[in-house]
Amino acid sequence: MVLAELSLAIAAVKGVGELIDSAKSVAEVASSLDSALNLSDRAKKTAPVKTKGKTEKQIEQQLEKYNNTDGESTNLGAIVQEVTDAKTLKHELYRMGTKLDVKFGRGTWDKILEIRAKRLAKQKQLEQDHRDKLKELQEERKRFWLEMLKVIGLLATLTVFAIWLLQYY
């Protein structure tokens, strides 16, 4: 997880937490809540990006063939920051959920997460169905053009045979 992504997600979740205190309905914080959840998801999915100085780049060039990391920092400070930010984000999400439950009734946060998970799954399924339909259409077009090629080949063969027959008979 990228530290900047985590920090942004934490700030967004804290901001939503503050909005909850003054909101009269969940609808008032819905867009902010959506942004916070999306940032949280992005922070969990984003691969870390290395920022290196000149010396680090030179060392990396010399040791490149021995490097088996996937772009993740091995610096202890960066690892500690990443772990603590991830835990902070998890805690802030929990606090925000608790605030929503206190303000709008028990189970509100769980219901929001449940509905969001269902809709994300539905969206993912629709995207997969769309990809499958595109793939099927592509295969159908491929079969069509192969059949057309066969027909053209057969017509060309019959034409050559007819010309041969006309010349010699």
Side-chain angles (χ1 to χ4, degrees):
M1 290 185 227
V2 176
L3 297 177
E5 293 277 341
L6 283 170
S7 299
L8 189 60
I10 291 167
V13 171
K14 284 183 179 180
V16 171
E18 292 171 7
L19 281 174
I20 291 170
D21 294 333
S22 63
K24 292 181 178 146
S25 72
V26 178
E28 291 179 21
V29 293
S31 64
S32 300
L33 183 61
D34 185 45
S35 298
L37 288 173
N38 287 337
L39 285 171
S40 174
D41 289 346
R42 252 185 31 209
K44 291 175 185 174
K45 292 179 185 177
T46 305
V49 178
K50 287 191 213 179
T51 55
K52 297 182 179 169
K54 185 177 180 182
T55 308
E56 285 179 293
K57 287 180 183 177
Q58 290 173 346
I59 292 171
E60 183 182 85
Q61 288 173 351
Q62 293 171 357
L63 300 175
E64 192 171 65
K65 61 183 173 184
Y66 302 110
N67 187 5
N68 62 354
T69 61
D70 297 327
E72 298 174 345
S73 176
T74 55
N75 180 355
L76 185 60
I79 294 169
V80 168
Q81 184 69 37
E82 185 177 325
V83 169
T84 56
D85 280 355
K87 286 188 176 196
T88 302
L89 175 60
K90 187 175 180 180
H91 178 71
E92 288 298 326
L93 283 170
Y94 173 77
R95 283 185 58 224
M96 182 177 63
T98 304
K99 278 185 174 185
L100 276 169
D101 284 347
V102 167
K103 180 94 176 187
F104 301 109
R106 189 176 206 186
T108 303
W109 178 243
D110 292 334
K111 190 68 174 175
I112 289 170
L113 291 179
E114 177 187 329
I115 291 171
R116 183 174 185 266
K118 284 180 184 177
R119 289 183 181 174
L120 287 174
K122 183 179 178 181
Q123 180 182 358
K124 188 180 265 188
Q125 182 62 41
L126 287 173
E127 289 171 357
Q128 182 63 40
D129 291 346
H130 182 68
R131 281 192 295 274
D132 291 344
K133 284 181 183 178
L134 287 176
K135 196 173 200 177
E136 185 179 311
L137 181 62
Q138 188 178 23
E139 289 174 7
E140 186 178 314
R141 285 181 180 164
K142 185 178 179 181
R143 284 192 304 270
F144 171 77
W145 286 110
L146 284 174
E147 289 299 317
M148 290 303 294
L149 187 61
K150 288 177 186 177
V151 168
I152 291 170
L154 180 63
L155 288 175
T157 304
L158 288 175
T159 303
V160 169
F161 182 70
I163 291 173
W164 178 77
L165 278 176
L166 289 174
Q167 285 180 350
Y168 295 105
Y169 291 107

